[in-house]
Amino acid sequence: MKRIYSNISLASRNSFGVEQQATTLVEFECAEDLRTYFEEHNPVKWYVLGAGNNTLFMQDYDGVLFTPVNRKRTILCSNDDYVELRAEAGHDWDELVEWSVNEGLWGIENLSAIPSSVGAAPVQNIGAYGAEAKDAITTVEYFDVESRSVVRLTNADCHFAYRESIFKQELKGKVIILAVEFKLSRHAKPNLGYGDVISEVESRGGATLRNIRDAICAIRSRKLPDPKVLGNAGSFFKNPIVERSVADELLAKYPDMPHYAVPGDDDHVKLAAGWLIDKSGLKGYRDGVVGVHDRQALVLVNHGGATGGDVMRLAGYVCGKVKENFGVEISPEVNVL
Ligand code: EPU
């Protein structure tokens, strides 16, 4: 069943909390809802707005926004080793993680407390604390707008990489994700190698699913602002991937600079945009109603009443300073509309 809104405020539908409107917003549950809408209206300009945690509106949206509202979860297969399950695109991401932890299922616990809908998770391959959604996703099902058909992609066909997938590349603007399928293990597979995760988990008594989830939630709430209190979209920038020679030169100058291997690619190194911004003296920087978060420099925040333009001006300033200081280009991971 779909619901159609006209001239609707987006203030409560984007985590930056910017006050813009959309000409039309369609809440849909299934492929049939989309098929009938496209057949009846054939919109030229459209965009998928999930929970709105990774989108910055620069102006009113004069097209159609599609929001998935189906929150169903179905177990497809369950045995002594693993469970395969399907979650519809409108399912809340963190509710899925909470459910998996309660069920004793391993694979997405490190992705606790990420504000997202399930449908958005494969698009940028959400990742945190050494885990990525791609490690648990088996299949993504989508509605193909041109053919009006339902297509299923296997994990390999999604071309997942760091903050990347086919949905940000070849399929961008062509498909609407309907559901995501996961395989979660019944066998303990703690992934504690990232930063202070291990000490947080140990202080709670060891590597149970519940302790890992609680530890990650605690780390995140210490560093990241709650969008309900302070508008933000999590990491505003991607961590830049640079040539090894560039990283080596910077490391000679800043031996303590955080840097990470890029799996399967020895010629490149991933740097921490948060560190580059912080080292540029911008952590906690404020420009009127917008600023750089004072506990995690990757996050830009709306102190109240900001427009998309205010945020983008600050983003441009931050990129310029990082380029000036380190010669490295950083770019937004947030979708700017
Ligand atoms: N750092 C600083 N200052 C800062 C921020 C970070 O010096 O203000 C340093 C940290 O000390 C650390 C390194 O930079 O040595 C990396 O920092 P952190 O572990 O906090 O992770 P990140 O690279 O800044 C990424 C993700 C986050 C995710 C964390 C934890 C991206 C763009 N962001 O941030 O994702 O929670 O790792 O895994 O990859 C999000 O996508 O919204 C998000 C919050």
Side-chain angles (χ1 to χ4, degrees), residues 139-172:
T139 304
V140 177
E141 188 174 287
Y142 64 78
F143 177 74
D144 179 78
V145 170
E146 202 186 319
S147 67
R148 314 257 155 95
S149 59
V150 174
V151 180
R152 288 169 61 78
L153 276 192
T154 63
N155 178 300
D157 289 338
C158 291
H159 302 166
F160 287 125
Y162 167 68
R163 294 293 195 271
E164 268 302 342
S165 76
I166 194 167
F167 306 106
K168 285 177 81 174
Q169 302 293 337
E170 293 96 298
L171 295 183
K172 187 173 179 180

Side-chain angles (χ1 to χ4, degrees), residues 240-251 257 259-260 262 265-271 327-329:
I241 293 175
V242 300
E243 306 245 332
R244 180 166 290 283
S245 58
V246 172
D248 286 346
E249 257 177 56
L250 287 169
L251 279 164
M257 180 183 72
H259 57 289
Y260 312 95
V262 178
D265 180 355
D266 286 344
D267 299 335
H268 291 89
V269 175
K270 189 163 78 175
L271 306 182
V328 172
E329 307 262 2

Side-chain angles (χ1 to χ4, degrees), residues 124 127-130 162-163 194 220 223-224 233-235 237-239 258 260 272 274-275 278 283 295-298 333:
Q124 65 152 345
Y129 307 102
Y162 167 68
R163 294 293 195 271
Y194 192 98
R220 286 186 75 93
K223 286 195 180 166
L224 296 166
S235 301
F237 301 99
K238 284 186 275 204
N239 284 333
Y260 312 95
W275 184 90
D278 192 349
K283 197 176 197 163
R295 277 173 281 140
Q296 164 54 290
L298 255 187
E333 74 161 25

Side-chain angles (χ1 to χ4, degrees), residues 197-209:
V197 175
I198 194 156
S199 55
E200 280 280 340
V201 168
E202 271 165 10
S203 74
R204 286 175 164 74
T208 64
L209 273 170

